[in-house]
Amino acid sequence: DHSSSLIASSREPDVNGLESPTLLHLFSHIEFIKQQMARDNIQFVRFESIDLHGVSRSKNVPSRFFHEKAIHGVAMPRSYLELTLNPRDNELDYINATNFNCDIILNPDLSTFRILPWTEQTARVICDSFTVLGNPLMTSPRHIAKKQLSQLQDNGFSLQSAFTYEFCIYGITEIVNSKTISFPAATILNNHDQTFIQELIEGMYYAGANIESFSSSSGPGQMEITFHPAFGIDAADSAFTFRTGIKEVAKKYNYVASFFSESGFYNSGPLSHSLWDLNGQKNVFSAGYGVEDLSDIGKNWLSGLLEHAAAISCLMAPTTSCRKPYSKYSKESKETVNAKWAYNDNSCAFNVKCHSGKGTRIENKLSSATANPYLVLAATIAAGLDGVKRGLRYDDLLQEENHTADLKHSSVPLKLEDALIALEKDSCIKEALGETFIRYFVAMKHYELETEEMDSERNKCLGYFI
């Protein structure tokens, strides 16, 4: 039973005594998991967290130590979660300022405990990151996302969302003339290994990622999956689980799965989302059944996304290569493109879908598949909620743009450098995500831009994101 009603354990259990309901719940939950591990002969538990690039970083613990680690957490160097794609530690002047070389504690969210079907005798649990003093790590993507979800709750809302991912399935990479070459393992005609796909989808369901559909996409070897919508942090947890799991399942079949966007070839990762009441009973985006329109709150939310599009774009498309598609169909200036919206138009940055019977939702298509799902979720909430709080309307934004020389509200910089500047100038997003995180993220991206080289960067990114 992996009921969502099971709450995560806190970093530090209540020490007032065993009468504490929180402490009793923690111990009973641990005992339940230990019985499950004994029943399924689980020998190792993977304590897993996500780094700033959206890649899994974990420690495997023998099952006999699970009880102890579930209570006290697992120590890990902070640098594992905050490393650059090609770190040269001695040349990073911001390392000491952020305690880059200290230890942090991975504390498990026990409600995410799952047995991994594709790995023998192994389970995993998603962890939150804390300092050794018990404070949340301010650069932790999952903490940032949970904080924004908490802000939503304080304003009387909940969020239902689901990611859609494009990715590429290749044969094992080969080195040809010092270059990494990957050959497609599937065609655009859906001619792929059914055994691989069936194990992937079935295994993901038991691991906590509920895949709603799987299909070929536009390019050779390119596939697309869509998750079933979920409330709260579960949407990002599912995406994180899939990003790691598909790579591991693919390697069992001598394939390589990659989310990396190469030059001229783009993997998207849009977030489809809708705002609901606290009880998850009413979609507050909906203007009525079968009506192609947004409610007033929905229009405010959309206006917030347009208002902050420039700033959040560097979290949605955090590498140079994954920003190139922004300009693919643009006839505008070379510096920015306009983030447009429309009803049922997949070419827009924000696609409003009012499909009959499924409810109204907004698809944030700024996001690439290389983006960290927790940061995509957090940035989307921060921008949308600001629009609701301020009662923004996109008609008013257009009028304001005619009287200012600054960057347009709905403009998206084509260069990552300009997007980082927009993020630093956006006080609302900076406050929502935390100045500590923004400062570190911007410094990390500037460092990566300074060390960027074409062929070596491609090999470096492929090796990291595979």
Side-chain angles (χ1 to χ4, degrees):
D1 178 12
H2 297 299
S3 170
S4 59
S5 64
L6 290 173
I7 63 171
S9 60
S10 61
R11 168 68 186 94
E12 291 292 342
D14 191 331
V15 294
N16 292 328
L18 288 177
E19 297 303 317
S20 165
T22 301
L23 196 58
L24 287 173
H25 181 274
L26 172 62
F27 286 147
S28 64
H29 202 169
I30 291 174
E31 287 303 318
F32 175 82
I33 291 175
K34 286 169 65 178
Q35 291 173 19
Q36 185 181 9
M37 289 195 297
R39 190 167 59 245
D40 294 311
N41 194 28
I42 298 301
Q43 300 298 315
F44 297 95
V45 179
R46 181 189 298 174
F47 284 69
E48 193 168 17
S49 189
I50 193 169
D51 71 9
L52 290 180
H53 304 289
V55 176
S56 169
R57 310 289 290 182
S58 61
K59 276 194 173 183
N60 283 344
V61 174
S63 58
R64 62 182 176 274
F65 295 115
F66 174 77
H67 189 120
E68 173 189 343
K69 301 303 182 184
I71 295 175
H72 299 291
V74 175
M76 174 183 280
R78 179 171 177 171
S79 58
Y80 285 11
L81 301 181
E82 296 178 346
L83 81 170
T84 64
L85 292 180
N86 187 21
R88 294 182 297 182
D89 292 356
N90 295 331
E91 299 182 26
L92 296 180
D93 57 3
Y94 57 89
I95 283 181
N96 291 330
T98 59
N99 298 316
F100 185 81
N101 292 311
C102 69
D103 274 351
I104 58 168
I105 304 298
L106 300 183
N107 191 64
D109 178 344
L110 296 181
S111 67
T112 67
F113 180 90
R114 299 290 188 278
I115 294 171
L116 298 179
W118 55 82
T119 304
E120 292 185 4
Q121 298 179 317
T122 301
R124 79 95 169 89
V125 61
I126 298 176
C127 299
D128 291 306
S129 306
F130 294 83
T131 68
V132 293
L133 297 179
N135 301 313
L137 189 66
M138 293 294 102
T139 56
S140 164
R142 195 168 190 263
H143 167 71
I144 293 170
K146 289 170 73 174
K147 182 180 176 183
Q148 288 307 299
L149 287 165
S150 178
Q151 287 292 314
L152 263 188
Q153 185 175 4
D154 292 343
N155 284 273
F157 301 114
S158 60
L159 191 80
Q160 186 185 67
S161 60
F163 283 89
T164 297
Y165 275 141
E166 288 181 340
F167 54 93
C168 295
I169 301 176
Y170 297 113
I172 297 298
T173 56
E174 299 179 21
I175 305 297
V176 179
N177 295 330
S178 75
K179 293 184 178 181
T180 303
I181 304 296
S182 303
F183 299 98
T187 74
I188 59 175
L189 301 177
N190 244 10
N191 180 22
H192 48 252
D193 190 333
Q194 286 293 336
T195 305
F196 161 63
I197 297 302
Q198 289 167 0
E199 178 176 348
L200 175 70
I201 295 178
E202 190 71 7
M204 285 294 166
Y205 176 73
Y206 290 106
N210 195 5
I211 297 174
E212 192 171 80
S213 66
F214 190 103
S215 66
S216 61
S217 193
S218 56
Q222 190 179 39
M223 312 300 293
E224 178 184 282
I225 66 98
T226 301
F227 295 104
H228 188 71
F231 281 98
I233 200 69
D234 288 351
D237 283 346
S238 294
F240 175 42
T241 299
F242 178 81
R243 292 166 68 90
T244 304
I246 188 175
K247 298 171 187 177
E248 297 178 348
V249 177
K251 287 186 178 181
K252 287 180 62 176
Y253 289 82
N254 291 323
Y255 298 147
V256 171
S258 176
F259 296 90
F260 180 63
S261 294
E262 300 184 50
S263 178
F265 196 71
Y266 181 60
N267 288 321
S268 66
L271 176 67
S272 180
H273 63 282
S274 54
L275 203 61
W276 294 63
D277 61 11
L278 274 180
N279 298 322
Q281 300 298 314
K282 181 182 178 182
N283 182 349
V284 299
F285 277 180
S286 179
Y289 183 84
V291 177
E292 190 175 66
D293 195 12
L294 279 170
S295 66
D296 288 340
I297 289 179
K299 291 174 181 176
N300 297 150
W301 184 278
L302 175 60
S303 301
L305 294 176
L306 292 168
E307 165 89 353
H308 300 288
I312 66 176
S313 70
C314 59
L315 300 168
M316 307 290 172
T319 68
T320 300
S321 60
C322 65
R323 299 188 71 83
K324 291 178 181 177
Y326 283 179
S327 60
K328 188 173 182 181
Y329 302 107
S330 173
K331 296 181 180 179
E332 301 177 36
S333 70
K334 295 182 180 180
E335 299 298 324
T336 65
V337 292
N338 198 36
K340 299 178 181 179
W341 75 274
Y343 292 103
N344 197 26
D345 186 344
N346 288 316
S347 66
C348 292
F350 302 108
N351 182 17
V352 181
K353 294 190 174 183
C354 305
H355 293 183
S356 184
K358 292 188 177 180
T360 304
R361 59 194 187 276
I362 299 174
E363 201 170 38
N364 178 0
K365 298 180 73 70
L366 285 178
S367 179
S368 82
T370 52
N372 186 310
Y374 295 102
L375 297 181
V376 172
L377 185 69
T380 299
I381 295 173
L385 185 57
D386 180 58
V388 173
K389 286 181 176 179
R390 293 164 57 192
L392 295 178
R393 293 297 289 266
Y394 35 79
D395 295 336
D396 298 333
L397 295 179
L398 290 174
Q399 292 178 4
E400 290 179 17
E401 288 172 3
N402 296 328
H403 298 87
T404 179
D406 293 336
L407 188 69
K408 290 183 179 180
H409 292 290
S410 57
S411 293
V412 177
L414 297 183
K415 294 182 179 179
L416 181 57
E417 300 95 311
D418 295 335
L420 292 170
I421 293 173
L423 178 62
E424 290 183 291
K425 289 183 177 180
D426 195 318
S427 58
C428 171
I429 301 300
K430 183 185 293 186
E431 180 181 357
L433 304 188
E435 191 168 342
T436 300
F437 164 76
I438 297 297
R439 185 172 61 248
Y440 187 88
F441 180 84
V442 171
M444 179 182 73
K445 288 301 167 184
H446 277 308
Y447 172 75
E448 290 173 6
L449 288 168
E450 291 167 5
T451 59
E452 184 179 34
E453 297 175 9
M454 294 306 295
D455 284 341
S456 62
E457 191 227 0
R458 181 178 183 276
N459 290 335
K460 168 184 67 181
C461 289
L462 271 178
Y464 187 78
F465 287 109
I466 289 174

